[in-house]
């Protein structure tokens, strides 16, 4: 699948470059590079190929399309070497990494302090694991509602829907968000991830930051809202949403586009904001890193709580979880080669798949961490 971004991608990448300089899809098969022939602000890297021939990675389904690109570019740069990626969800990705089943874990949220970081350190021979954000993309609040060409929701309304407080599409809070225009009286059918998912964790973190008085369910990879019909993986959510009228759910932008789902505008207090390349790029300006050293954990709370005009606040960053030390020599060499390709050469190919290519400044931070893996 090739998702067209047209000229808007240029604005997104420029905004992303400013943001990250300041801060210091199971079926996606991307083709080509930046849209309209525009060169993405990404660099290239000299790759030291070799080591383990067949790397194994597992985790986030949100980054499946990006991992397909990374794998293709890795094989092109390092003949005879490859990486196999299983999009089993972020929860499984962390578990398989800590169990030494995979060489790299993929997760839509960083390792949590406590058991996850402890288990990862044990897996890495007593050394800390690092969270390296390689993929950025927006999360859509997608819906299917006959007769509704456009729906605007406030953070409070979204939190009310996903906690079961708002049950019908003509609820007064939804009507108010849409300028007094009442939508259908049809019941709302909430669709959520059934599996543990970093997308769920990010979505619930967003609700806690943007609608703290309404969302009191906390965060985490398991959906805590107490309502809804569960679906497996991002593709399962998108398929379920497209199958029945009156549904609403959260899913990565590329999956929503693939299924041609309608996506709600979000009004955080400065007017309704449609999910576009420009509005997603504007939101990235709020992203900051809070990890220490080469553990590049992002602090997304300010982004989620942002009320800035023209900014779409519901963004997701996908991490590759790796050992800082503790791999055998062959695995370390191959992991470093793959990540070097993914962080540089392959980034210019991500735009057509619904992701945000990394600017040069952030690539440099990633390369510093990748080179330090031992």
């Amino acid at each position: 699948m090739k998702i067209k971004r047209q000229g808007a991608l240029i604005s997104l990448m420029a905004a992303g470059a400013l943001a990250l300089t300041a801060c210091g899809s199971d079926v996606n098969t991307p083709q080509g590079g930046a849209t309209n022939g525009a060169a993405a602000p990404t660099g290239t890297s000299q790759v030291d190929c070799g080591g383990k021939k067949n790397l194994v990675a597992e985790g986030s389904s949100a980054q499946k399309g990006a991992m397909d690109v990374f794998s293709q570019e890795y094989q092109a740069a390092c003949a005879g070497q490859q990486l196999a990626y299983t999009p089993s969800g972020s929860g499984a990705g962390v578990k398989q990494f800590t169990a030494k089943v995979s060489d790299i874990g993929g997760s839509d949220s960083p390792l949590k302090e406590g058991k996850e970081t402890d288990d990862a350190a044990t897996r890495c021979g007593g050394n800390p694991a690092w969270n390296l954000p390689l993929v950025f993309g927006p999360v859509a609040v997608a819906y299917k509602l006959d007769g509704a060409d456009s729906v605007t929701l406030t953070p409070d309304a979204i939190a009310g829907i996903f906690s079961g407080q708002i049950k019908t599409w003509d609820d007064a809070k939804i009507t108010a968000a849409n300028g007094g225009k009442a939508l259908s009286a049809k019941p709302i059918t909430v669709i959520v991830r059934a599996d543990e998912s970093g997308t769920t964790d990010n979505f619930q973190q967003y609700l806690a930051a943007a609608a703290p008085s309404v969302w009191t369910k906390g965060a985490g990879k398991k959906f805590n809202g107490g309502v809804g019909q569960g679906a497996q993986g991002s593709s399962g959510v998108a398929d379920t949403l497209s199958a029945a009228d009156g549904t609403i759910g959260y899913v990565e932008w590329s999956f929503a586009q693939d299924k041609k789902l309608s996506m709600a505008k979000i009004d955080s207090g400065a007017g309704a904001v449609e999910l576009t390349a420009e509005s997603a790029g504007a939101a990235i300006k709020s992203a900051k890193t809070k990890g220490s050293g080469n553990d590049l954990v992002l602090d997304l709370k300010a982004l989620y709580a942002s009320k800035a005009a023209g900014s779409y606040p519901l963004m997701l960053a996908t991490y590759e979880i790796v050992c800082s030390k503790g791999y055998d020599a062959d695995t370390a060499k191959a992991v470093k080669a793959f990540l070097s390709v993914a962080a540089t050469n392959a980034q210019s190919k991500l735009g057509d798949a619904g992701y945000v290519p990394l600017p040069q400044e952030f690539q440099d931070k990633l390369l510093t961490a990748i080179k330090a893996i031992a």
Side-chain angles (χ1 to χ4, degrees):
M1 178 185 67
K2 183 175 181 180
I3 302 174
K4 299 294 185 182
R5 289 292 176 273
Q6 301 181 3
L9 178 62
I10 301 172
S11 298
L12 173 57
M13 293 185 294
L18 288 173
L20 292 171
T21 300
C23 77
S25 352
D26 298 296
V27 294
N28 293 339
T29 305
Q31 303 174 30
T35 49
N36 286 345
T42 56
T44 59
S45 174
Q46 293 296 321
V47 180
D48 183 14
C49 298
K52 186 176 181 179
K53 293 292 185 182
N54 298 298
L55 286 175
V56 176
E58 182 168 347
S60 166
S61 60
Q63 68 170 12
K64 174 58 166 58
M67 292 298 283
D68 286 345
V69 175
F70 296 162
S71 298
Q72 292 165 10
E73 294 299 307
Y74 177 48
Q75 291 179 53
C78 298
Q81 292 180 255
Q82 61 183 3
L83 176 138
Y85 187 73
T86 302
S88 57
S90 296
V94 171
K95 291 175 182 176
Q96 295 294 72
F97 174 75
T98 57
K100 291 191 176 183
V101 174
S102 66
D103 303 305
I104 300 172
S107 179
D108 302 337
S109 55
L111 292 170
K112 286 185 168 51
E113 291 294 331
K115 180 173 172 52
E116 284 190 353
T117 54
D118 291 345
D119 288 349
T122 299
R123 180 258 191 271
C124 296
N127 303 290
W130 288 341
N131 301 274
L132 305 181
L134 279 182
V135 182
F136 284 81
V139 176
V141 179
Y143 67 93
K144 184 174 182 180
L145 184 63
D146 290 346
D149 296 329
S150 176
V151 171
T152 297
L153 296 173
T154 63
D156 282 357
I158 297 171
I161 290 170
F162 284 89
S163 61
Q165 300 173 44
I166 295 177
K167 301 180 184 297
T168 61
W169 285 98
D170 64 346
D171 186 274
K173 289 185 177 180
I174 297 178
T175 300
N178 288 273
K181 178 182 177 181
L183 302 178
S184 168
K186 184 181 292 292
I188 296 174
T189 301
V190 175
I191 309 299
V192 303
R193 286 284 290 268
D195 53 325
E196 290 192 355
S197 164
T199 308
T200 297
D201 191 14
N202 278 264
F203 181 65
Q204 293 183 128
Q205 288 185 52
Y206 162 73
L207 294 178
S213 63
V214 180
W215 185 261
T216 59
K217 306 285 188 175
K221 292 183 174 70
K222 181 180 179 181
F223 181 69
N224 301 324
V227 297
Q229 175 182 337
Q232 193 73 20
S234 301
S235 59
V237 171
D239 288 341
T240 305
L241 285 169
S242 66
D245 188 47
T247 55
I248 189 169
Y250 55 91
V251 69
E252 295 81 6
W253 191 19
S254 56
F255 286 90
Q257 290 186 317
D258 184 38
K259 292 296 180 180
K260 297 180 173 55
L261 297 172
S262 298
M263 291 172 266
K265 299 175 184 177
I266 296 179
D267 187 347
S268 299
V273 179
E274 182 181 358
L275 172 49
T276 65
E278 292 91 347
S279 64
I284 299 176
K285 292 180 181 179
S286 300
K288 295 178 174 63
T289 58
K290 64 179 181 180
S292 59
N294 291 319
D295 187 23
L296 303 179
V297 176
L298 298 166
D299 183 358
L300 298 177
K301 186 173 182 179
L303 186 157
Y304 292 149
S306 173
K307 300 182 184 300
S311 174
Y312 185 86
L314 187 43
M315 297 289 293
L316 180 149
T318 300
Y319 296 87
E320 310 314 320
I321 301 170
V322 299
C323 290
S324 58
K325 296 180 182 179
Y327 290 120
D328 62 79
D330 280 348
T331 301
K333 187 177 183 68
V335 166
K336 292 170 75 170
F338 171 77
L339 292 175
S340 294
V341 172
T344 57
N345 307 32
Q347 286 290 319
S348 64
K349 307 292 180 69
L350 294 183
D352 286 342
Y355 304 103
V356 185
L358 298 173
Q360 184 67 54
E361 294 81 3
F362 201 66
Q363 288 181 42
D364 292 342
K365 287 188 174 185
L366 285 168
L367 286 175
T368 296
I370 293 165
K371 290 175 182 177
I373 295 172

